[in-house]
Amino acid sequence: MEEKKYLKWYNKVGYGSGDIAGNVVYAFLSSFVMIFLTDTVGLNAGVVGTLMMFSKLFDGVTDIFFGSMIDKTKSKMGKARPWMLWAYFGCAAMIIAIFAIPVDLGETAKYAWFFIAYTALNAVFYTANNIAYSALTSLITKNSSERVQMGSIRFMFAFGTSLLIQTITVDAVKIMGGGARGWRTVAVIYAVIGLIVNTISALSVKELSSAELEETNSSKETEEKYSLKDAVKLLAANKYYMMICGIYILMQIFTATLNMGIYFMTYILGNASLLGVFSMAVNIPLICGLVFTPMLVKKFRGMYKINLAGYALATVARGLVIVAGYMGNLPLMLLFTGAASIGMSPLQGDLNALIASCSEYTFLTKKKRIDGTMFSCTSLGVKIGGGIGTALAGWLLAASGYVANAAEQVPSCINMLYFMYLWIPMIINLIITVVLSRLKVEQANERIEGNRV
């Protein structure tokens, strides 16, 4: 029997455009905050990395808290949309604050300014906005095909925005006057764009009623109330959630490591603007792959096989990027980077649908619906993964003897840049492939449903 359809094309596009707003913050922050802090503000990369990691102590608490709050929210706009809409105002203010650190402040004051703004952005405002945005996948449709389509469209916007940000930002900063002034002006422009798009996205969809959300093909049980402590126990009891959360964190470390490629482009390849070229090699194949993801999921009757095969390809291709990198062959590096991105695209497109399947698994086994809390792994993954990736880059740069704005870096730093940009992404892809081989949540749900018929 064909599943009921809930969304028009403009609902899917409107929802997906929300990742433009998310990535004018995230892509801008993850790609350029470290080089801004080291080369413009004059801070130490290792100290910045340590502050980022301390900031993550707050993030681990707020993700599940806001997920639980979304689950408990009742308003005319629904559960998630109010959080998505209003939290972004804080995101916009904090991204401006981070890139507006006065260069004439004392050193301690600069570190304090950055830590407060970075923590407020990640632990509060981005958390509330991103969890709510991701949770809408489960709250506006119950159709599995529509969920995959939403994920594909969403990440097309996400990677398109990342591509644009990484391509134009360096030149945009120069056009806006360069230095601290240029970074601040660009941050203001991105924040305003994000506010406009996020508002449009939040208003373009409508959440289903609680009664309709609680209906399943084989279950009419009433949802039970639960505390934050109960929510944590439910998440911990869902092994598939733990796998996806781990994958999400690894994916964000992967992205953050590649975003630190501006150092590789500057000091290995000799041209910072090549970051945009490599961004094209990453994002254009991803976007193309996302177009076909819904069809591939349908053809393979689920997400498991296509995700596993895709990441196996991505791992091999990233290994070939290493070979090409040490050969100094730029065209081959770009070619294999694109091949790896094609392999990664199915998981990027259907990840939200996988999380929705995880939420359904908890409902089928525990009779409790925790969509908002379940989608906390998206925000948790972005922040912890992105934070670890950027912080790790800072520590490795500091340990290798990196000197900001040096005409030439010492050999130990050069070797570290090769390791950061070439080896770490391949190792992460290999680990994700192994985890994906165990991620059989769709089959588990089908088995439970079959036993209950």
Side-chain angles (χ1 to χ4, degrees):
M1 183 171 124
E2 187 176 353
E3 289 185 275
K4 178 181 176 181
K5 294 183 179 179
Y6 297 83
L7 305 175
K8 304 293 185 182
W9 68 268
Y10 51 82
N11 300 129
K12 300 172 189 175
V13 173
Y15 170 81
S17 68
D19 245 331
I20 296 175
N23 278 277
V24 294
V25 169
Y26 176 70
F28 182 43
L29 186 70
S30 61
S31 297
F32 299 105
V33 70
M34 185 63 77
I35 202 162
F36 165 72
L37 294 173
T38 57
D39 292 21
T40 300
V41 183
L43 300 183
N44 178 272
V47 176
V48 171
T50 301
L51 290 177
M52 287 179 173
M53 286 308 300
F54 273 116
S55 178
K56 298 307 151 189
L57 297 177
F58 297 97
D59 289 354
V61 176
T62 58
D63 284 282
I64 297 176
F65 169 77
F66 279 113
S68 179
M69 291 297 294
I70 290 168
D71 285 330
K72 298 176 189 301
T73 296
K74 294 181 180 179
S75 74
K76 291 181 180 179
M77 290 185 67
K79 292 175 176 289
R81 288 200 301 155
W83 293 92
M84 175 185 171
L85 178 64
W86 299 113
Y88 198 87
F89 285 85
C91 291
M94 289 304 103
I95 195 66
I96 294 172
I98 289 171
F99 284 90
I101 299 174
V103 294
D104 56 352
L105 276 181
E107 187 175 23
T108 302
K110 290 177 185 177
Y111 285 120
W113 181 304
F114 166 72
F115 180 76
I116 293 169
Y118 183 82
T119 302
L121 172 62
N122 284 285
V124 181
F125 301 113
Y126 188 85
T127 297
N129 171 266
N130 189 257
I131 293 176
Y133 177 55
S134 297
L136 284 175
T137 302
S138 287
L139 297 174
I140 65 177
T141 179
K142 298 196 298 178
N143 185 299
S144 58
S145 295
E146 287 182 336
R147 287 173 174 172
V148 174
Q149 291 166 6
M150 287 167 61
S152 293
I153 294 171
R154 169 187 178 176
F155 284 106
M156 287 181 203
F157 281 110
F159 296 128
T161 304
S162 294
L163 171 60
L164 188 62
I165 294 291
Q166 291 169 355
T167 301
I168 71 172
T169 296
V170 172
D171 290 332
V173 170
K174 294 177 183 176
I175 292 171
M176 296 301 168
R181 177 186 175 186
W183 285 107
R184 181 175 62 250
T185 305
V186 170
V188 171
I189 293 171
Y190 287 164
V192 171
I193 293 172
L195 272 174
I196 294 170
V197 177
N198 184 77
T199 301
I200 293 172
S201 179
L203 298 178
S204 68
V205 294
K206 183 178 180 181
E207 295 181 29
L208 300 176
S209 67
S210 297
E212 191 167 10
L213 285 170
E214 290 171 12
E215 294 176 359
T216 66
N217 292 332
S218 60
S219 176
K220 299 285 185 180
E221 289 91 342
T222 302
E223 179 183 9
E224 299 178 26
K225 293 182 179 181
Y226 63 94
S227 66
L228 181 59
K229 182 178 179 180
D230 293 330
V232 173
K233 290 181 178 178
L234 287 169
L235 292 179
N238 189 329
K239 63 180 180 180
Y240 300 113
Y241 168 83
M242 301 304 291
M243 291 181 194
I244 289 180
C245 193
I247 287 173
Y248 217 109
I249 290 171
L250 288 169
M251 289 169 67
Q252 298 307 316
I253 295 174
F254 175 96
T255 300
T257 304
L258 286 189
N259 288 343
M260 289 297 100
I262 190 167
Y263 290 97
F264 188 88
M265 309 307 159
T266 301
Y267 296 106
I268 303 295
L269 301 181
N271 185 356
S273 295
L274 282 174
L275 180 66
V277 178
F278 274 87
S279 182
M280 291 180 190
V282 170
N283 290 295
I284 291 176
L286 272 172
I287 294 169
C288 293
L290 288 169
V291 172
F292 297 100
T293 294
M295 291 180 284
L296 289 172
V297 171
K298 185 175 181 180
K299 177 178 176 62
F300 286 92
R301 298 180 180 180
M303 297 173 273
Y304 175 77
K305 291 181 180 179
I306 187 64
N307 288 340
L308 181 58
Y311 254 85
L313 168 64
T315 302
V316 173
R318 288 306 311 184
L320 293 173
V321 172
I322 295 174
V323 175
Y326 280 103
M327 291 171 56
N329 191 317
L330 184 61
L332 280 181
M333 286 184 70
L334 293 169
L335 175 64
F336 294 133
T337 295
S341 292
I342 290 174
M344 292 166 59
S345 60
L347 181 62
Q348 298 283 357
D350 62 36
L351 188 58
N352 271 16
L354 269 178
I355 300 169
S357 294
C358 274
S359 185
E360 195 64 24
Y361 178 80
T362 292
F363 183 69
L364 290 171
T365 55
K366 305 296 183 181
K367 309 301 179 290
K368 294 182 180 180
R369 185 163 291 284
I370 55 168
D371 299 296
T373 311
M374 188 67 65
F375 276 89
S376 66
C377 69
T378 59
S379 174
L380 185 71
V382 168
K383 294 186 308 178
I384 292 183
I388 289 175
T390 308
L392 180 63
W395 291 332
L396 294 177
L397 285 171
S400 69
Y402 171 77
V403 178
N405 299 307
E408 186 175 335
Q409 297 294 339
V410 296
S412 59
C413 181
I414 297 297
N415 291 333
M416 186 61 75
L417 292 176
Y418 273 102
F419 177 73
M420 286 168 53
Y421 191 72
L422 299 180
W423 285 94
I424 292 178
M426 188 278 291
I427 293 169
I428 289 174
N429 274 2
L430 178 60
I431 297 171
I432 290 175
T433 302
V434 173
V435 177
L436 284 173
S437 69
R438 310 283 295 176
L439 186 54
K440 300 181 179 181
V441 62
E442 297 167 284
Q443 295 90 324
N445 287 347
E446 290 173 2
R447 189 163 55 250
I448 294 170
E449 289 279 13
N451 291 338
R452 299 177 61 168
V453 173

